[in-house]
Amino acid sequence: RARARGGAGCATPRGGGGAGPAPAGRPPPAPEARADAARALAHVSDGVVLTGRDGRLVFWNPAAAELLGLDDGDRAGRPLPELVPSWRAATSPGNGGSTAPVVLPVTTGAGERWLSVTSADFGDGVVYALRDVTEEHALETMRSDFLATASHELRTPMTSIYGAARTLLARDGELDAERRVAFLEMIANESERLARIIDEILLASRLDAGDVDFATEPCDAVALARSVLDAAEIRAPRNVELRLAAPSDLPTIACDPNRLRQILLNLVDNAIKYSPEGGEVVLSVALIGEGLRFTVRDNGIGFPADETERIFERFYRVDPELRQGIGGTGLGLYISRELVERMNGRISAESAPGRGSTFAVDLPLAPDAQPHLPSAE
């Protein structure tokens, strides 16, 4: 069988320059027609692959070469599953038919892609049309994660609220004042938790749409940090100690005070939540170069160092199986990163399992601030 290179990374079928053998019972196309077909396929954005009746690779266009990593013309004549290990037999239509699109993962040197594969049997072989749906697959996965997380996180406080309210309605006359107050506090606390979950979901959606306003102004970093700890103190369990570490002479920073308070409160709440055995949570503020650094440090359960980037993804949770009984929407750190970056800042994290975590938020000084004060570090 004679083979030639058909464009970048493409093998042309026997006879040169065509898009595959002619269907049974028809005369083969003229060389000019085959050349025109090959040129047309070279400019198609979707991948096209042709295999013979024996399942061996005969032809692919440049788009297929990129999607499947078929960068060597000498691969023609080899079985496609041998070249692409994740290729599934389910993509074969059998005799005389075509299949509905099948979505499958393909691992290449450029990483994992998800491809929508449609195949058609034309008698002398099978034609596969490939379309890259990696982004669509990621969005679908994100949607599924959102529905699973949101339904779980919303159901938990709703169940508590409903149970407490039904108990008060059914047994109000049997409850003493102390138990009645306890049920009312449960309703209030779970309602507040429910409101925070809904606020997180709505804010994440607005951030994605670019619909969040910022009011940048000079901010007193130490006063703001102190107010964050005062707010967190109300929800902190007795076995967690909150501490502020900051000098009193720090310059002002340029930020939206409400958004920065939201970021720091989220980091402190996370530190408390992921310290189920208790311990110390320290919020420190220090001058670094031409900006200030807010650091939140705990000695809780931590997370693997190789997941440092993933923790800022939507719906990521350190304890997804709830082995530690730690819930959450998985949106807090994603929201924090988006807010920090929109204030021209940077957020980073360091951790190790069982050794706690440290989150740092760097923000620029206000234009009229004094930049050369002694650092607290």
Side-chain angles (χ1 to χ4, degrees), residues 4 14 53 85 96 128 130 176-177 225 236 260 275 278 299 308 314 316 322-323 333 338 348 364 368:
R14 55 182 175 267
R53 294 298 302 166
Y128 297 96
L130 317 176
D176 56 32
L260 179 55
S275 300
N299 45 22
T308 300
R314 278 173 287 194
Y316 175 86
L322 300 181
R323 289 187 294 267
L333 290 178
E338 295 297 309
S348 58
D368 57 349

Side-chain angles (χ1 to χ4, degrees), residues 31-48:
E32 295 81 3
R34 292 199 299 268
D36 289 342
R39 281 195 295 270
L41 290 174
H43 293 88
V44 172
S45 59
D46 287 349
V48 177

Side-chain angles (χ1 to χ4, degrees), residues 118-364:
T118 304
S119 55
D121 188 330
F122 62 91
D124 286 344
V126 179
V127 175
Y128 297 96
L130 317 176
R131 186 167 62 87
D132 191 343
V133 293
T134 303
E135 292 186 5
E136 292 91 330
H137 182 268
L139 289 173
E140 178 61 25
T141 301
M142 193 180 302
R143 186 187 70 85
S144 299
D145 290 345
F146 167 76
L147 291 175
T149 300
S151 62
H152 177 271
E153 292 301 317
L154 293 173
R155 186 184 298 114
T156 301
M158 285 297 296
T159 301
S160 299
I161 293 169
Y162 178 78
R166 294 299 302 176
T167 301
L168 287 172
L169 288 172
R171 302 177 54 192
D172 185 54
E174 306 171 21
L175 301 175
D176 56 32
E178 183 177 352
R179 294 188 66 191
R180 188 179 298 110
V181 169
F183 279 116
L184 290 173
E185 286 182 345
M186 178 187 296
I187 292 173
N189 292 337
E190 292 301 307
S191 296
E192 181 184 358
R193 177 183 172 189
L194 189 60
R196 289 199 305 270
I197 292 171
I198 294 172
D199 286 344
E200 279 191 348
I201 294 172
L202 293 177
L203 180 55
S205 177
R206 291 176 58 203
L207 284 167
D208 290 342
D211 187 30
V212 177
D213 296 326
F214 288 82
T216 303
E217 60 185 69
C219 299
D220 183 335
V222 178
L224 195 148
R226 188 176 291 112
S227 72
V228 167
L229 292 185
D230 289 342
E233 189 80 45
I234 299 173
R235 299 194 290 270
R238 294 180 180 178
N239 63 348
V240 174
E241 178 186 355
L242 303 181
R243 182 166 64 88
L244 175 65
S248 59
D249 55 352
L250 288 174
T252 57
I253 56 172
C255 74
D256 182 320
N258 292 326
R259 297 302 182 191
L260 179 55
R261 187 177 292 107
Q262 183 177 10
I263 294 164
L264 296 178
L265 187 56
N266 176 65
L267 295 180
V268 172
D269 281 346
N270 263 9
I272 295 171
K273 181 168 64 175
Y274 287 99
S275 300
E277 303 299 322
E280 185 179 59
V281 173
V282 180
L283 171 56
S284 60
V285 190
L287 181 68
I288 55 163
E290 299 299 315
L292 288 188
R293 171 170 292 174
F294 297 84
T295 304
V296 177
R297 176 177 53 81
D298 65 69
N299 45 22
I301 65 175
F303 57 86
D306 59 1
E307 297 191 9
T308 300
E309 293 300 321
R310 288 198 61 208
I311 62 172
F312 294 103
E313 296 176 1
R314 278 173 287 194
F315 309 117
Y316 175 86
R317 292 188 296 181
V318 172
D319 184 30
E321 306 300 328
L322 300 181
R323 289 187 294 267
Q324 304 275 352
I326 301 171
T329 62
L331 288 171
L333 290 178
Y334 167 75
I335 290 172
S336 296
R337 183 191 64 184
E338 295 297 309
L339 292 176
V340 169
E341 290 180 352
R342 283 164 170 77
M343 289 190 290
N344 299 316
R346 178 179 177 273
I347 188 170
S348 58
E350 293 182 0
S351 185
R355 297 186 179 182
S357 305
T358 300
F359 287 83
V361 174
D362 298 340
L363 290 172

